[in-house]
Amino acid sequence: MNYAKSSRSMRSMLLAGAVIVAPVPAFAQVATPADPVAPAADQSTEQDGEIVVTGTSAARRARDTPLSVSTLDAAQLQRTAASSQADILNTVPSIKAEGGGGEVAVNVFIKGLPLGGTYQLTPLQYDGIPVLSSFGLNSSAYDVYYRNDLGIERLEFVRGGVSNLFGSGSVAGLINYISKTGHDTTQGDAQIEWAERGRVRGDVAMSGPLSKDAGLYYAVSGYYRYDDGPIRTGLPTKGGQIRGNIRKDLSDGSGSVTLFGQYINDRVQFYLPSPLDGTTRKRVPGNDGRDVNSLLTDAVSGLGFNRPGGRFQTQIADGVYTNGGQVALAFTKDLGEGWGLNGKAKYSQYAHRFGFFLDGDGLANVPQTQAGFLALRGLPSNATFTYADDNSAVPGNAILFANRFQDRIRPNHDVSAEINLTKEATTGDFRHNFTLGYYFANAWARDNTITTAYLGAFNNQPRLINLTVRDAAGNPTIISNGGLLDAGVGYTNNTAKQSHYAVYLADQIEADRLVFDFGGRLEWSDGHIARAATSTTITDATTPNLSTALRNVVWENGTVVRGKVSAMSWALSAGVLYKLTPSLNVYANANRGFFFPALNSVSINAAGLTQSYQPEIIRQAEVGLKYGAGRITASLSGFYNDLKNRRTVLLVNGTGGSVVEQVTIVSTKAYGLEGVLGVRLLDHLRFDGNVSLVHDEFTALDITPQFIGNKEPRQPNVLYNAGLYYDDGAIDASMATTYTGPNYTDNSNAIRLDGFNTVRLVAGYKLPLGSGRQAVRLGVDVYNLFDSQGISEGSPRQVAQTVGTYFVGRPILPRRVSVKLSLSF
């Protein structure tokens, strides 16, 4: 595929869309005032004053919306975020977010829906604009492209009801961060953070008028940080982002136009599961007697090998590398007599690589003695092990760990646009807000993966090891050269392009005590897939005594298999809310929705014929109560969902140490309860908490039908958050815990992971510097206060994981103390 030509065509489509819709959404202009006590998710910061608009036709209070809504304001976001989206999303009911991998690629699980992780069913948006319009072109998570900073006004997470109809749509839920925009007064925030183990981060955000007379306003924010990591690996995390918006309010007060922009250049390290004690599941000591916290190592950064057309050199040291950005245009316009028009369009392009250390070699996957390593591979026992950096002998009792890493090269570009025609009308006692909309998106991405195997010692930041063996005649064979074990464990080079076209119609109906939501969506999707064929090539015929794995390389051979798929599906949603009293509302909603299968789950034969491409149908229902009066806010809801013929894609160990994408077709059902409670105990002290009880099970499995009826892996039955928050304007302090209940590592339910609590302590002192918001705050933040040793997952690459001397799992991140100095002006 011609990348440059495709990029130019995307830009042309964006410009055309901008002309058609003529340019930011009304929702981005309504700021929710922050409560002095940072509330937990789903707690109204103003009782009757909170406005939520995501997934609705017109702005309204969260309590008056017949669906589940969770909101966090800027203060809560700032105090909750520690290292990743997981810190924030874990406070939302029914979400389990795994952040053990570091800052990005968070695995998000929700309401018992079958996921392989990341954001497959919960699109990530900023200002109602999707970060990426299609998931499954590759497996990179949305959060590698876009990050949070001090320029975020609030988070809205809307699920169920009609939230699946508008814009990009999603029946599982929409994660939407709303940016700060400028107003008549210039204001800003700056923050510097120092944390143990080598972390420094600086943030700044400013907003204000460019010209009051012209109705022109700006907001800009960004960050830069350097971090040796919560777990030291010798591979630093470093980089930053800048983003902002310029808004033009129309002179007649009928609307606005906003231009958004973002640029990111960032490198983040990602932590994989590692061997733990098979009985206690705690970290085990390495050869030096110290506990092994991570097997990432900068020693592999020099590895490379010959390939057809030149030499391949790994860029694994960059970790998750993202360089690029997004530009978006949005508008809202009141046309008069109840008519309105709004829309948005965006174009993004990113150079992206995901440097990925795996959790074993695909053969043993655990530490081995030198004799065990040789025996597993059928190698002669006459062997010489030396360290690659100085050629010194490896002690005979040293434990080895063979591992792999992947250079995943994943550039992408994406264009999306939507336009909505709205109409307000009154019939008798009912007020209607009609929305007729159209959505278009086109995304392209490459997924070029090179897998390399290496041999190292079992230590933190392991040294690489050379290995030469000799047969009975004394003839040598080099098995590991400079630590390199296999130059061609696996290779893929795929590209995918997907287009979406949708029309939707909805009506939001309100009376004094009744609220109705109705709507439907019709969507088409086209996909184009290209996959390079591979063959084995001898690329080093001159170096003597090399093993076959070092001499031969699997690489693309110039043949490309192409396939096309298309599908159409529809969604219907309905919701009703009744105001029993001024303080108590009862609501219910139900919907029939769909997901289009990820393109990386579609098989293609040599003739270019694809397997069937049918939408995955999901049905959901929810009923609940919402209460708010005096010092108490609360909600209680029950939900049910069932999902048919979901194609899940897992990266699992293949033959000979390769990594393959395993596609499993599953059906599931789940039901449960969500409860949320907020109590203002004293004028400056508040309790906030939520609990989720979920039962889920497989109702169909194509590969392993014997596991039908089992629980889905990595999905706990119990989740809860509870915290006390104090803020008197000068002193603030909070202590909150997040509990993740027991869950299983894989579909067999053979290995159960224990539940764990993660406690967060935040405290600070604010000193006013003058009138208004001018103040300085010095705060301390302790993540994982009691240094809990919970395991967030087993080894996803082992389809049926077993436990022996070792258990391969990913512990949650350890305790980390940070100090933050903040300035508001």
PDB file of all heavy atoms in Angstrom, residues 724-735:
ATOM      1  N   LEU A 724     -12.040   8.070  52.150  1.00  0.00           N
ATOM      2  CA  LEU A 724     -12.373   9.271  52.903  1.00  0.00           C
ATOM      3  C   LEU A 724     -11.588  10.437  52.309  1.00  0.00           C
ATOM      4  O   LEU A 724     -10.376  10.319  52.066  1.00  0.00           O
ATOM      5  CB  LEU A 724     -12.008   9.107  54.375  1.00  0.00           C
ATOM      6  CG  LEU A 724     -12.882   8.146  55.181  1.00  0.00           C
ATOM      7  CD1 LEU A 724     -12.265   7.923  56.562  1.00  0.00           C
ATOM      8  CD2 LEU A 724     -14.306   8.687  55.315  1.00  0.00           C
ATOM      9  N   TYR A 725     -12.296  11.570  52.085  1.00  0.00           N
ATOM     10  CA  TYR A 725     -11.700  12.729  51.428  1.00  0.00           C
ATOM     11  C   TYR A 725     -11.961  13.970  52.286  1.00  0.00           C
ATOM     12  O   TYR A 725     -13.112  14.290  52.591  1.00  0.00           O
ATOM     13  CB  TYR A 725     -12.316  12.921  50.035  1.00  0.00           C
ATOM     14  CG  TYR A 725     -12.150  11.712  49.137  1.00  0.00           C
ATOM     15  CD1 TYR A 725     -13.062  10.653  49.194  1.00  0.00           C
ATOM     16  CD2 TYR A 725     -11.090  11.631  48.252  1.00  0.00           C
ATOM     17  CE1 TYR A 725     -12.909   9.537  48.382  1.00  0.00           C
ATOM     18  CE2 TYR A 725     -10.933  10.525  47.423  1.00  0.00           C
ATOM     19  CZ  TYR A 725     -11.839   9.484  47.489  1.00  0.00           C
ATOM     20  OH  TYR A 725     -11.688   8.378  46.699  1.00  0.00           O
ATOM     21  N   TYR A 726     -10.874  14.636  52.666  1.00  0.00           N
ATOM     22  CA  TYR A 726     -10.978  15.848  53.480  1.00  0.00           C
ATOM     23  C   TYR A 726     -10.361  17.013  52.721  1.00  0.00           C
ATOM     24  O   TYR A 726      -9.296  16.906  52.122  1.00  0.00           O
ATOM     25  CB  TYR A 726     -10.240  15.670  54.804  1.00  0.00           C
ATOM     26  CG  TYR A 726     -10.252  16.910  55.673  1.00  0.00           C
ATOM     27  CD1 TYR A 726     -11.313  17.161  56.535  1.00  0.00           C
ATOM     28  CD2 TYR A 726      -9.210  17.831  55.619  1.00  0.00           C
ATOM     29  CE1 TYR A 726     -11.339  18.309  57.320  1.00  0.00           C
ATOM     30  CE2 TYR A 726      -9.219  18.986  56.394  1.00  0.00           C
ATOM     31  CZ  TYR A 726     -10.294  19.224  57.246  1.00  0.00           C
ATOM     32  OH  TYR A 726     -10.324  20.358  58.022  1.00  0.00           O
ATOM     33  N   ASP A 727     -11.054  18.178  52.766  1.00  0.00           N
ATOM     34  CA  ASP A 727     -10.524  19.391  52.136  1.00  0.00           C
ATOM     35  C   ASP A 727     -11.211  20.594  52.764  1.00  0.00           C
ATOM     36  O   ASP A 727     -12.421  20.778  52.618  1.00  0.00           O
ATOM     37  CB  ASP A 727     -10.773  19.363  50.626  1.00  0.00           C
ATOM     38  CG  ASP A 727      -9.979  20.425  49.887  1.00  0.00           C
ATOM     39  OD1 ASP A 727      -9.579  21.425  50.514  1.00  0.00           O
ATOM     40  OD2 ASP A 727      -9.752  20.264  48.672  1.00  0.00           O
ATOM     41  N   ASP A 728     -10.448  21.429  53.464  1.00  0.00           N
ATOM     42  CA  ASP A 728     -11.016  22.636  54.059  1.00  0.00           C
ATOM     43  C   ASP A 728     -10.554  23.894  53.331  1.00  0.00           C
ATOM     44  O   ASP A 728     -10.707  25.006  53.842  1.00  0.00           O
ATOM     45  CB  ASP A 728     -10.683  22.712  55.553  1.00  0.00           C
ATOM     46  CG  ASP A 728      -9.179  22.826  55.820  1.00  0.00           C
ATOM     47  OD1 ASP A 728      -8.400  23.001  54.854  1.00  0.00           O
ATOM     48  OD2 ASP A 728      -8.779  22.729  56.993  1.00  0.00           O
ATOM     49  N   GLY A 729      -9.982  23.686  52.136  1.00  0.00           N
ATOM     50  CA  GLY A 729      -9.481  24.815  51.368  1.00  0.00           C
ATOM     51  C   GLY A 729      -8.014  25.066  51.560  1.00  0.00           C
ATOM     52  O   GLY A 729      -7.348  25.634  50.700  1.00  0.00           O
ATOM     53  N   ALA A 730      -7.473  24.678  52.707  1.00  0.00           N
ATOM     54  CA  ALA A 730      -6.050  24.824  52.975  1.00  0.00           C
ATOM     55  C   ALA A 730      -5.378  23.459  53.053  1.00  0.00           C
ATOM     56  O   ALA A 730      -4.356  23.217  52.413  1.00  0.00           O
ATOM     57  CB  ALA A 730      -5.828  25.587  54.270  1.00  0.00           C
ATOM     58  N   ILE A 731      -5.970  22.561  53.839  1.00  0.00           N
ATOM     59  CA  ILE A 731      -5.420  21.216  53.992  1.00  0.00           C
ATOM     60  C   ILE A 731      -6.342  20.222  53.290  1.00  0.00           C
ATOM     61  O   ILE A 731      -7.564  20.269  53.460  1.00  0.00           O
ATOM     62  CB  ILE A 731      -5.286  20.839  55.484  1.00  0.00           C
ATOM     63  CG1 ILE A 731      -4.297  21.780  56.180  1.00  0.00           C
ATOM     64  CG2 ILE A 731      -4.846  19.392  55.636  1.00  0.00           C
ATOM     65  CD1 ILE A 731      -4.215  21.572  57.678  1.00  0.00           C
ATOM     66  N   ASP A 732      -5.750  19.355  52.499  1.00  0.00           N
ATOM     67  CA  ASP A 732      -6.524  18.275  51.897  1.00  0.00           C
ATOM     68  C   ASP A 732      -5.813  16.959  52.186  1.00  0.00           C
ATOM     69  O   ASP A 732      -4.588  16.899  52.253  1.00  0.00           O
ATOM     70  CB  ASP A 732      -6.686  18.478  50.387  1.00  0.00           C
ATOM     71  CG  ASP A 732      -5.373  18.412  49.641  1.00  0.00           C
ATOM     72  OD1 ASP A 732      -4.935  17.296  49.294  1.00  0.00           O
ATOM     73  OD2 ASP A 732      -4.780  19.485  49.389  1.00  0.00           O
ATOM     74  N   ALA A 733      -6.597  15.923  52.386  1.00  0.00           N
ATOM     75  CA  ALA A 733      -6.050  14.594  52.643  1.00  0.00           C
ATOM     76  C   ALA A 733      -7.084  13.550  52.252  1.00  0.00           C
ATOM     77  O   ALA A 733      -8.289  13.764  52.410  1.00  0.00           O
ATOM     78  CB  ALA A 733      -5.676  14.434  54.117  1.00  0.00           C
ATOM     79  N   SER A 734      -6.613  12.461  51.728  1.00  0.00           N
ATOM     80  CA  SER A 734      -7.521  11.379  51.370  1.00  0.00           C
ATOM     81  C   SER A 734      -6.803  10.050  51.468  1.00  0.00           C
ATOM     82  O   SER A 734      -5.580   9.964  51.276  1.00  0.00           O
ATOM     83  CB  SER A 734      -8.065  11.559  49.947  1.00  0.00           C
ATOM     84  OG  SER A 734      -7.024  11.470  48.998  1.00  0.00           O
ATOM     85  N   MET A 735      -7.573   9.041  51.808  1.00  0.00           N
ATOM     86  CA  MET A 735      -7.090   7.664  51.776  1.00  0.00           C
ATOM     87  C   MET A 735      -8.189   6.821  51.158  1.00  0.00           C
ATOM     88  O   MET A 735      -9.334   6.847  51.611  1.00  0.00           O
ATOM     89  CB  MET A 735      -6.726   7.136  53.164  1.00  0.00           C
ATOM     90  CG  MET A 735      -6.204   5.697  53.131  1.00  0.00           C
ATOM     91  SD  MET A 735      -5.724   5.052  54.763  1.00  0.00           S
ATOM     92  CE  MET A 735      -4.217   5.974  55.026  1.00  0.00           C
TER      93      MET A 735
END
